[in-house]
Amino acid sequence: MKLTTLPDGTPDGRLHVVSRDQRRIEPAQGAQTMQALLENWDGFAPQLEAQYAALNAGGGADFDAAQALAPLPRAWQWLDGSAYDSHGDLMQKVFKMDPTPKGRPLMYQGMSHQFLAATADVPLPSEADGIDFEGEFGVICDAVPMGTDAATAQGHIRLLVQINDWSLRTLAPIEMKTGFGWVQAKPACSVAPVAVTPDELGEAWRDSRVDLPLIVDLNGARFGAAEGYPMSFGFDELVAHAARTRVLVAGTIIGSGTVSNENFREIGSSCIAERRGIELLDLGAAQTPYMQFGDRVRMECRARDGQPLFGVIDQAVVAGGS
């Protein structure tokens, strides 16, 4: 099943069902919002699955993804992991950070009251803050009891999403040194317009991982095509980690962290910081600049046969703030 949210004048928008080819759309029957669906998945999902099947057979209105909001425009909780060791190890080496213990997921709690639409301009206060994108995959859960193990947690993963986790790299090390985590360095994330149930990926949903490449272009040039599968922890384990000492409310979003592979020199990167890190190691100095106002980043993940999945994130950064 594929779902999206369109604006209706309210903060949470109106939930819609999207056809598999992402050409047609209908207002969801029963659940008015994505949050309402996640809070009563078992009650609403069967009706929506039937509606999805009928929509795939024909009917509906034309779908203009550029009009969509983030599938869940605001959430009770956003937890972002760092599940790709190739990315974490490179960052530790470049920035001379103490190695993090293996065998335990890295995760922080970020801003959740706003998720940006996939084609909205991204207003930021200063180019000097080191504007960077981070291509990620994510999951949205229904309610997860405290202490849930990974095997059980997999059943609480209801939807998959594609995320651009914006970062301000100049501010990040300042906040990291406080030991209190990020605030200024992590503005609102952007989310691709379509959320999909795991079965839409078929065999590409493997070991609670997205076994597909995330294609990233910067200003029209290919920047990276990292595969999503090589996570050191699957999403089932990330959900279980998050639920170790707390209940996860329905609508909790959990991110993978920057998608990265060991052969990043060949396939590219999903963020500028990683490429700059490679340049520091190989050339002695970073050469790729962070984003400037007017620069544009595009991200898309498709099925191996070319079928659209999450839709496209395509955004420019612009001057914002006072």
Side-chain angles (χ1 to χ4, degrees):
M1 181 166 56
K2 295 184 177 182
L3 300 167
T4 195
T5 296
L6 296 185
D8 68 349
T10 69
D12 297 308
R14 179 68 167 90
L15 183 64
H16 284 67
V17 179
V18 184
S19 63
R20 182 167 284 116
D21 61 9
Q22 296 187 16
R23 294 180 178 177
R24 299 180 309 283
I25 190 171
E26 283 183 349
Q29 297 172 6
Q32 299 291 301
T33 66
M34 182 71 81
Q35 183 64 35
L37 168 60
L38 292 161
E39 290 176 353
N40 186 13
W41 184 272
D42 291 337
F44 287 127
Q47 182 180 11
L48 292 178
E49 290 283 6
Q51 183 181 3
Y52 179 60
L55 182 60
N56 286 326
D62 291 341
F63 177 39
D64 180 4
Q67 301 301 313
L69 303 173
L72 190 58
R74 56 179 181 169
W76 289 106
Q77 189 164 220
W78 155 238
L79 302 171
D80 198 16
S82 181
Y84 293 90
D85 285 347
S86 55
H87 177 78
D89 292 347
L90 175 64
M91 295 297 100
Q92 289 170 14
K93 185 181 297 184
V94 168
F95 295 108
K96 298 180 174 58
M97 300 161 56
D98 292 334
T100 55
K102 301 297 183 183
R104 178 182 176 85
L106 294 174
M107 187 175 289
Y108 76 93
Q109 184 161 338
M111 168 182 165
S112 63
H113 67 267
Q114 179 188 31
F115 289 90
L116 301 176
T119 58
D121 287 344
V122 181
L124 294 170
S126 174
E127 295 173 334
D129 290 338
I131 302 168
D132 198 1
F133 51 83
E134 292 190 61
E136 305 189 11
F137 295 112
V139 300
I140 309 180
C141 303
D142 61 9
V144 183
M146 182 170 62
T148 296
D149 61 21
T152 307
Q154 185 174 18
H156 289 284
I157 296 172
R158 297 303 189 180
L159 295 165
L160 312 179
V161 289
Q162 177 190 310
I163 300 168
N164 182 2
D165 176 33
W166 291 99
S167 293
L168 302 177
R169 300 296 188 181
T170 304
L171 302 176
I174 298 171
E175 293 190 309
M176 289 175 68
K177 289 177 182 177
T178 68
F180 260 52
W182 290 304
V183 176
Q184 293 181 346
K186 287 292 186 179
C189 299
S190 306
V191 187
V194 179
V196 306
T197 49
D199 61 289
E200 288 292 326
L201 270 65
E203 294 181 354
W205 179 242
R206 185 162 67 94
D207 301 326
S208 294
R209 295 160 167 86
V210 178
D211 188 12
L212 293 167
L214 179 59
I215 307 301
V216 180
D217 296 332
L218 177 62
N219 293 327
R222 182 57 40 86
F223 197 88
E227 293 281 344
Y229 183 77
M231 298 169 69
S232 53
F233 300 94
F235 280 110
D236 54 346
E237 296 169 290
L238 294 182
V239 173
H241 175 79
R244 171 67 177 81
T245 60
R246 66 173 74 178
V247 171
L248 303 184
V249 296
T252 295
I253 307 175
I254 297 180
S256 66
T258 305
V259 178
S260 175
N261 299 161
E262 293 287 350
N263 59 334
F264 38 52
R265 288 179 176 84
E266 290 75 43
I267 63 169
S269 299
S270 302
C271 71
I272 296 173
E274 186 171 284
R275 177 173 286 188
R276 286 171 60 90
I278 298 166
E279 292 167 347
L280 279 167
L281 294 180
D282 294 353
L283 305 174
Q287 296 184 348
T288 302
Y290 288 118
M291 295 182 76
Q292 303 295 300
F293 295 143
D295 285 349
R296 179 172 292 276
V297 64
R298 184 184 190 277
M299 301 179 180
E300 184 177 18
C301 173
R302 286 179 173 259
R304 300 285 181 187
D305 63 0
Q307 184 83 9
L309 290 172
F310 309 102
V312 177
I313 294 174
D314 190 355
Q315 295 181 292
V317 291
V318 298
S322 56

